[in-house]
Amino acid sequence: FDMRKLTIPDSSIRKHRECVGERLQNYLDRLALHGAISWNVGGARIGTEERAKREKERDDLILALRSIHCREFFSRVARRFRDDDISVARPDVLMDFATDCLRWESSLERREPGARNNCRKVLSILFNFSAFVQGRKLVDAGVDGCILWTKRRDASYEWSAWHFIDSLGVRYCPYCNAETVGNMAYLASDGTRRLHQSDLDHFFPKSEYPLLSLSLYNLVPSCCRCNSRFKGSRNHLAERVKRGSLGVLHPYLDNFSDHFRFEYAPNSLNELYVKKNQKDGPLHVYPIGKHVKLAARYLREYHIAEVYRDFYDSELMAAIKSAALYTPSVREVLEAKYPGISEEELDVSLFRASSDEARFNRHRFAKAICDIRSCFLAPDSKFDLKVVENCLFDG
């Protein structure tokens, strides 16, 4: 895991507020104050009839948005968006805002059936997450209030999903600490420079909460498996409304290392190896700490035990062998041979991971490796290191 909670630099918060938040606010104010608003309905390739049809649908929607109930809804949203600085607000503020938005939408729909859908349509055009990922920027509202994201990535543009992911410095998925996350640039077969970046998971799904789709603290760099397969569009906010609490751990709020522990505990020398598809093997992961129920739920939802056992059995066995081989006495020899070498350098050289929790997100399997080492080094360890080492390496 990336066992330390993610931290967004102040410079990124300022940049996002300036390039995204303030411009979103301008459009929300227009919607609230019945100002001019419009948007493009398609590119040059669509036919005349299709364009006319889309323009009529747009104009009808714009007219519907001018109702007193829609204006009241947008007035509430615009005021709260500004007061709480929603584009860069912390997760707990986002939760409260989204909960209130649900209530406002329900009230809107009761008063004016169909208005909720109309408001969401224009919000999905304005809060264009795909454009943010593609490196396009939201243009300031002009006289006609046309919602416009630039058509192409601007090389001089200084803020996008690419820049956000870079600023976090996360190298491995916060949910599993096994798959890499980050950015890369490459040359395509046609010679053009292309950019690739990791998924950004919406902790609260953008399909349900479009007003949170461009909020920094709702965006979590993650691997495709955790984002699409395991988490999917699970609606944590709906659970919060029902239970009165979030009921899950959050990557920007919780230090995950306080809630989980890996344990290497073979029952005999014949059961030393981590094996694929072996449910009762020597490696276990279990919840610890104050919030055991939340931790247990997280382990179940992201299938951490199965992922580590079935995908990374050989890598974990290499870590276990290193823990058995490089005992404290070996470290003492290396420290004497290389004066001035730091604990950090020794850890990374011998075990491929730092034991500093603040750096777990930069090393693969860091939490698992450190916990496995502690199983060998604990004063009450039941392992005879020499016997285990001989069995592992002879095997």
Side-chain angles (χ1 to χ4, degrees):
F1 308 102
D2 171 350
M3 288 291 131
R4 307 308 295 177
K5 58 186 174 185
L6 301 183
T7 302
I8 301 177
D10 290 341
S11 58
S12 297
I13 291 174
R14 288 194 300 270
K15 202 70 180 177
H16 194 72
R17 180 187 291 116
E18 173 191 347
C19 296
V20 178
E22 292 177 2
R23 298 178 184 186
L24 290 172
Q25 184 70 58
N26 289 337
Y27 285 104
L28 288 174
D29 288 341
R30 280 178 175 266
L31 288 165
L33 298 173
H34 203 167
I37 199 78
S38 184
W39 56 87
N40 294 329
V41 295
R45 295 183 180 181
I46 65 172
T48 305
E49 290 185 8
E50 178 63 22
R51 178 177 295 277
K53 176 184 175 183
R54 293 186 187 183
E55 287 177 346
K56 184 179 185 309
E57 291 173 349
R58 176 198 61 195
D59 295 341
D60 289 344
L61 177 55
I62 291 172
L63 184 62
L65 294 173
R66 292 176 179 172
S67 74
I68 187 172
H69 301 304
C70 287
R71 286 179 59 191
E72 181 184 352
F73 170 77
F74 284 122
S75 179
R76 286 174 168 175
V77 168
R79 183 171 57 251
R80 186 71 170 274
F81 199 89
R82 179 191 299 104
D83 291 347
D84 288 345
D85 210 0
I86 292 300
S87 68
V88 293
R90 298 282 300 176
D92 50 340
V93 178
L94 297 183
M95 287 185 275
D96 290 338
F97 172 69
T99 302
D100 287 341
C101 283
L102 290 176
R103 189 175 70 253
W104 298 338
E105 285 185 340
S106 296
S107 174
L108 172 64
E109 189 65 17
R110 284 196 305 271
R111 296 179 182 181
E112 185 180 336
R116 176 180 180 272
N117 261 354
N118 291 336
C119 290
R120 286 205 163 201
K121 284 177 183 177
V122 71
L123 288 175
S124 67
I125 295 168
L126 176 57
F127 286 75
N128 190 337
F129 175 70
S130 295
F132 180 61
V133 169
Q134 293 161 8
R136 296 150 58 195
K137 63 180 178 180
L138 181 61
V139 178
D140 285 316
V143 176
D144 61 353
C146 185
I147 300 172
L148 180 63
W149 288 81
T150 55
K151 292 183 179 180
R152 296 181 180 82
R153 179 186 291 270
D154 185 345
S156 64
Y157 187 40
E158 298 178 354
W159 188 248
S160 65
W162 171 281
H163 301 94
F164 171 56
I165 293 172
D166 255 3
S167 73
L168 290 176
V170 178
R171 302 290 293 274
Y172 292 93
C173 175
Y175 295 120
C176 68
N177 192 223
E179 294 297 323
T180 55
V181 297
N183 300 327
M184 66 172 286
Y186 63 96
L187 288 178
S189 56
D190 60 2
T192 58
R193 183 173 179 268
R194 303 268 179 94
L195 301 178
H196 169 77
Q197 58 215 31
S198 299
D199 287 1
L200 277 174
D201 167 45
H202 287 84
F203 193 83
F204 306 120
K206 64 180 184 294
S207 59
E208 292 293 325
Y209 310 100
L211 286 159
L212 300 184
S213 61
L214 290 173
S215 294
L216 277 193
Y217 281 95
N218 195 36
L219 305 178
V220 182
S222 60
C223 70
C224 183
R225 180 177 58 217
C226 287
N227 182 22
S228 301
R229 289 297 184 93
F230 295 155
K231 182 175 181 295
S233 58
R234 186 176 295 114
N235 188 346
H236 294 307
L237 264 177
E239 297 174 13
R240 178 182 188 271
V241 173
K242 185 176 179 180
R243 300 182 180 188
S245 64
L246 182 58
V248 291
L249 301 176
H250 194 296
Y252 287 112
L253 295 177
D254 298 291
N255 289 326
F256 287 176
S257 58
D258 298 336
H259 301 282
F260 309 94
R261 181 173 174 80
F262 286 90
E263 182 180 65
Y264 176 64
N267 293 319
S268 68
L269 292 178
N270 294 325
E271 299 179 5
L272 291 175
Y273 285 85
V274 178
K275 298 178 182 178
K276 187 173 183 178
N277 297 323
Q278 183 185 24
K279 293 184 179 180
D280 300 319
L283 189 69
H284 310 278
V285 58
Y286 54 90
I288 59 172
K290 296 180 180 178
H291 305 292
V292 173
K293 289 185 178 180
L294 298 188
R297 175 180 175 177
Y298 184 87
L299 294 174
R300 288 195 306 271
E301 289 183 350
Y302 288 90
H303 305 281
I304 298 301
E306 296 90 341
V307 165
Y308 271 68
R309 180 194 70 213
D310 294 347
F311 282 100
Y312 307 112
D313 51 316
S314 58
E315 289 92 338
L316 292 174
M317 276 313 305
I320 290 169
K321 288 184 177 183
S322 295
L325 181 62
Y326 299 118
T327 59
S329 58
V330 174
R331 291 174 69 95
E332 291 173 6
V333 171
L334 291 173
E335 288 171 346
K337 186 174 182 180
Y338 303 103
I341 191 169
S342 67
E343 290 291 318
E344 171 86 5
E345 290 170 325
L346 275 175
D347 286 339
V348 175
S349 298
L350 299 179
F351 307 108
R352 296 172 294 172
S354 170
S355 57
D356 179 2
E357 290 189 0
R359 299 181 64 83
F360 276 179
N361 61 347
R362 292 185 172 273
H363 300 278
R364 195 179 196 189
F365 309 128
K367 171 65 174 172
I369 288 172
C370 288
D371 284 352
I372 289 169
R373 284 180 58 205
S374 69
C375 290
F376 282 96
L377 300 178
D380 58 347
S381 173
K382 61 184 179 182
F383 299 112
D384 183 328
L385 288 182
K386 197 64 181 175
V387 173
V388 172
E389 179 186 335
N390 289 338
C391 290
L392 286 174
F393 287 92
D394 288 346

